[in-house]
Amino acid sequence: MIGLSAPALEAIGQDDLDTALKTTAATTPPGTPEHLDLLIDHVDVRADLAALTVPTLVISTTLDQLVTPHHHRQLAEAIPGARYAEIATGHLPFVEQPEQWATLIRDFLRDSHT
């Protein structure tokens, strides 16, 4: 539920939402709880960001309920030369706006090779 924006959740019918929740519960891979546990102050890579030398795109999901745009901007600002883009979705832009998400990535990859 936290992966989608409020507008996306409101647009889903109850039957589709029930199906999605059941499917997600049945297909959650082993190790997911441990992976999520890392989000809670266990891994801090901020000191490493300034050393990145590869082209970087930070896509801010502006309706994200898990990671805020403030944090996306902080990440982009900490990586030298990082490009920052926004998309009006929740945490799962490839679910809510797959074409727009793919275009951001495709354009970044194209521009990074020229």
Side-chain angles (χ1 to χ4, degrees):
M1 301 280 295
I2 199 167
L4 298 176
S5 66
L9 284 171
E10 290 171 6
I12 297 173
Q14 189 62 50
D15 290 341
D16 290 337
L17 182 58
D18 290 343
T19 299
L21 291 172
K22 287 176 188 173
T23 301
T24 300
T27 59
T28 301
T32 297
E34 293 82 6
H35 177 97
L36 293 173
D37 188 47
L38 293 174
L39 295 173
I40 305 172
D41 297 325
H42 290 36
V43 176
D44 186 350
V45 298
R46 289 177 290 181
D48 301 324
L49 298 176
L52 292 176
T53 59
V54 297
T56 303
L57 172 64
V58 176
I59 299 175
S60 178
T61 46
T62 61
L63 302 175
D64 199 324
Q65 299 180 72
L66 185 60
V67 182
T68 70
H70 169 76
H71 293 108
H72 301 144
R73 284 188 294 278
Q74 282 185 320
L75 178 64
E77 291 168 2
I79 300 171
R83 185 181 305 171
Y84 176 84
E86 293 183 342
I87 186 170
T89 70
H91 195 69
L92 305 174
F94 46 86
V95 172
E96 291 186 47
Q97 297 290 335
E99 296 84 15
Q100 186 181 1
W101 181 71
T103 297
L104 287 171
I105 294 169
R106 191 172 31 255
D107 291 350
F108 171 76
L109 292 172
R110 181 198 63 229
D111 295 347
S112 295
H113 285 93
T114 58

